[in-house]
């Protein structure tokens, strides 16, 4: 993770002055017990399956990662020069903690692991990502997902 004080201008000023969205409503639901939840991962690490189209600069879309994709077939195409890839190279679970979710499901801590997981490329304006995120939400609903583990990278 890059620290603002370590960034060069103009990137430092741009990041420090990004607006934060405000929301007029804050919906709340009473969640199911953890042992009944179906969990998907959404990462901003710019992950893709080997052979998928890499993320472009300012990419607003996402990649679908089937839950049974072998770790060796998950690639990182995040393009930020401020992005440290060393943790991912040592353990994919840093950016896509699928093995940890499987362990939690096997122990009965969560109900199940979703069939599909998703990755955006971070460092993109969230407002531009919104239409893509809304489509992704529909896919998660189709998969029966009721809990999302957000992994901001």
């Amino acid at each position: 993770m890059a620290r603002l004080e370590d960034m060069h201008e103009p990137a430092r000023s741009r990041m420090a002055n990004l607006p934060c969205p405000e929301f007029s409503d804050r919906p709340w639901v009473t969640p199911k017990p953890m042992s009944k939840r179906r969990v998907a991962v959404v990462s901003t690490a710019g992950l893709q399956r080997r052979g998928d189209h890499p993320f472009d600069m300012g990419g607003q879309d996402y990649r679908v990662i089937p839950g049974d994709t072998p770790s060796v077939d998950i690639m990182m195409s995040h393009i930020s020069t401020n992005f440290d890839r060393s943790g991912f190279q040592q353990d994919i679970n840093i950016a896509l903690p699928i093995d940890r979710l499987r362990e939690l499901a096997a122990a009965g801590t969560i109900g199940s692991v979703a069939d599909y997981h998703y990755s955006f490329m971070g460092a993109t304006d969230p407002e531009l990502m919104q239409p893509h995120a809304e489509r992704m939400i529909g896919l998660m609903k189709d998969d029966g997902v009721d809990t999302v583990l957000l992994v901001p990278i």
Side-chain angles (χ1 to χ4, degrees), residues 22-146:
E22 293 187 23
F23 301 96
S24 59
D25 60 342
R26 292 175 177 86
W28 179 257
V29 296
T30 302
K32 296 178 185 178
M34 286 297 295
S35 62
K36 305 266 189 237
R37 296 186 198 183
R38 184 165 178 80
V39 182
V41 176
V42 175
S43 175
T44 62
L47 303 176
Q48 67 185 59
R49 290 180 298 161
R50 188 179 306 277
D52 281 353
H53 179 74
F55 284 94
D56 296 319
M57 175 70 86
Q60 305 158 11
D61 56 345
Y62 58 88
R63 302 293 180 270
V64 178
I65 302 172
D68 60 356
T69 303
S71 296
V72 297
D73 288 335
I74 298 176
M75 314 295 292
M76 182 179 289
S77 63
H78 200 296
I79 58 174
S80 173
T81 57
N82 297 314
F83 192 75
D84 180 0
R85 293 157 179 78
S86 60
F88 171 78
Q89 292 167 343
Q90 294 174 29
D91 183 1
I92 189 173
N93 288 284
I94 297 294
L96 188 75
I98 190 73
D99 294 329
R100 303 297 81 84
L101 284 181
R102 289 183 186 125
E103 291 165 3
L104 290 170
T109 304
I110 63 172
S112 62
V113 178
D115 291 333
Y116 301 96
H117 306 279
Y118 306 87
S119 184
F120 287 89
M121 184 178 70
T124 301
D125 183 341
E127 289 183 14
L128 299 175
M129 297 164 71
Q130 185 170 344
H132 302 283
E134 289 173 0
R135 282 193 291 280
M136 180 191 67
I137 290 166
L139 294 172
M140 286 193 281
K141 285 181 179 179
D142 291 346
D143 192 14
V145 171
D146 51 26

